[in-house]
Amino acid sequence: KFQINTANYPGCSLFLEAVYRAGVGGTQTVRTLSMELYDLTGGTIVTNSTISGTEQAGSSPGAYPRLRGTTNFLSNLGTGNRDCVLRYKSDSANFVDLYEGRLIIQY
Protein backbone atom coordinates (compact mmCIF):
# COMPACT_ATOMS: atom_id res chain seq x y z
CA LYS A 1 0.00 0.00 0.00
CA PHE A 2 1.26 3.47 -0.79
CA GLN A 3 -0.08 7.02 -0.99
CA ILE A 4 0.31 9.34 -3.96
CA ASN A 5 -0.88 12.87 -4.67
CA THR A 6 -0.81 13.72 -8.38
CA ALA A 7 -0.33 17.42 -7.59
CA ASN A 8 3.20 16.50 -6.47
CA TYR A 9 4.07 15.16 -9.93
CA PRO A 10 3.23 17.88 -12.47
CA GLY A 11 4.18 17.10 -16.06
CA CYS A 12 5.10 13.47 -15.44
CA SER A 13 3.77 10.15 -16.73
CA LEU A 14 2.81 7.17 -14.56
CA PHE A 15 3.16 3.54 -15.65
CA LEU A 16 3.16 0.15 -13.94
CA GLU A 17 6.02 -2.28 -14.34
CA ALA A 18 6.29 -5.94 -13.38
CA VAL A 19 9.19 -8.38 -13.19
CA TYR A 20 7.45 -11.73 -13.33
CA ARG A 21 7.22 -15.26 -14.65
CA ALA A 22 3.99 -16.74 -16.02
CA GLY A 23 4.77 -20.33 -15.08
CA VAL A 24 7.57 -22.59 -16.21
CA GLY A 25 8.26 -23.30 -19.89
CA GLY A 26 8.10 -26.68 -21.53
CA THR A 27 5.06 -28.84 -21.04
CA GLN A 28 3.12 -26.43 -18.83
CA THR A 29 0.29 -24.40 -20.27
CA VAL A 30 0.77 -20.73 -21.01
CA ARG A 31 -0.83 -18.44 -18.47
CA THR A 32 -1.27 -14.70 -18.23
CA LEU A 33 -0.18 -12.36 -15.43
CA SER A 34 -2.39 -9.30 -15.05
CA MET A 35 -1.51 -6.40 -12.76
CA GLU A 36 -3.41 -3.19 -12.06
CA LEU A 37 -3.34 -0.18 -9.78
CA TYR A 38 -6.30 -0.09 -7.41
CA ASP A 39 -7.32 3.23 -5.84
CA LEU A 40 -8.46 2.38 -2.31
CA THR A 41 -9.56 5.97 -1.70
CA GLY A 42 -11.96 5.96 -4.65
CA GLY A 43 -12.69 2.23 -4.56
CA THR A 44 -11.88 1.69 -8.25
CA ILE A 45 -9.29 0.27 -10.63
CA VAL A 46 -7.28 3.14 -12.12
CA THR A 47 -8.26 3.34 -15.81
CA ASN A 48 -5.43 2.41 -18.24
CA SER A 49 -3.19 1.07 -15.46
CA THR A 50 -3.68 -2.64 -16.27
CA ILE A 51 -0.76 -4.55 -17.79
CA SER A 52 -0.58 -8.22 -18.75
CA GLY A 53 1.94 -10.68 -20.14
CA THR A 54 2.52 -14.37 -20.81
CA GLU A 55 6.32 -14.73 -20.88
CA GLN A 56 7.72 -17.69 -19.00
CA ALA A 57 11.45 -16.88 -19.13
CA GLY A 58 13.76 -13.97 -19.79
CA SER A 59 16.12 -13.59 -22.71
CA SER A 60 19.04 -15.11 -20.76
CA PRO A 61 19.20 -17.97 -18.24
CA GLY A 62 18.02 -16.89 -14.80
CA ALA A 63 16.50 -13.68 -16.16
CA TYR A 64 12.83 -12.87 -15.72
CA PRO A 65 10.64 -10.89 -18.11
CA ARG A 66 10.03 -7.19 -17.46
CA LEU A 67 6.70 -5.77 -18.55
CA ARG A 68 5.93 -2.04 -18.57
CA GLY A 69 2.66 -0.32 -19.38
CA THR A 70 2.56 2.04 -22.34
CA THR A 71 -0.36 4.31 -21.44
CA ASN A 72 0.12 7.19 -19.01
CA PHE A 73 -2.62 6.95 -16.36
CA LEU A 74 -1.74 10.05 -14.29
CA SER A 75 -4.90 11.90 -15.33
CA ASN A 76 -7.03 8.91 -14.29
CA LEU A 77 -6.08 9.19 -10.63
CA GLY A 78 -8.28 11.42 -8.51
CA THR A 79 -7.06 14.60 -6.85
CA GLY A 80 -5.62 14.82 -3.37
CA ASN A 81 -3.94 12.01 -1.44
CA ARG A 82 -4.82 8.61 -2.92
CA ASP A 83 -4.16 5.34 -1.09
CA CYS A 84 -3.28 2.71 -3.72
CA VAL A 85 -2.24 -0.93 -3.99
CA LEU A 86 -0.94 -3.09 -6.81
CA ARG A 87 -3.16 -6.09 -7.50
CA TYR A 88 -2.12 -9.07 -9.61
CA LYS A 89 -3.56 -12.40 -10.65
CA SER A 90 -3.28 -15.33 -13.01
CA ASP A 91 -5.86 -16.03 -15.71
CA SER A 92 -6.17 -19.60 -14.45
CA ALA A 93 -5.72 -21.72 -11.34
CA ASN A 94 -2.04 -22.06 -12.29
CA PHE A 95 0.61 -19.92 -10.64
CA VAL A 96 2.36 -16.78 -11.78
CA ASP A 97 5.32 -15.30 -9.93
CA LEU A 98 5.54 -11.56 -9.36
CA TYR A 99 9.08 -10.70 -8.28
CA GLU A 100 8.76 -6.92 -8.41
CA GLY A 101 5.84 -4.58 -8.97
CA ARG A 102 6.69 -0.93 -9.54
CA LEU A 103 5.09 2.43 -10.11
CA ILE A 104 7.22 4.19 -12.73
CA ILE A 105 7.25 8.00 -12.53
CA GLN A 106 8.72 9.37 -15.73
CA TYR A 107 9.52 13.02 -16.49
Side-chain angles (χ1 to χ4, degrees), residues 70-89:
T70 58
T71 304
N72 175 15
F73 57 82
L74 175 69
S75 64
N76 298 324
L77 279 170
T79 58
N81 290 331
R82 313 303 289 186
D83 290 326
C84 298
V85 294
L86 296 176
R87 300 192 317 183
Y88 75 99
K89 65 180 182 175

Side-chain angles (χ1 to χ4, degrees), residues 31-54:
R31 57 210 59 169
T32 301
L33 164 87
S34 295
M35 188 170 81
E36 64 196 10
L37 184 65
Y38 188 79
D39 178 357
L40 293 167
T41 305
T44 61
I45 298 166
V46 176
T47 302
N48 295 324
S49 69
T50 303
I51 59 175
S52 61
T54 58

Side-chain angles (χ1 to χ4, degrees), residues 83-104:
D83 290 326
C84 298
V85 294
L86 296 176
R87 300 192 317 183
Y88 75 99
K89 65 180 182 175
S90 171
D91 66 337
S92 67
N94 296 311
F95 75 93
V96 292
D97 295 320
L98 178 64
Y99 295 102
E100 295 178 12
R102 302 178 185 134
L103 175 66
I104 303 297

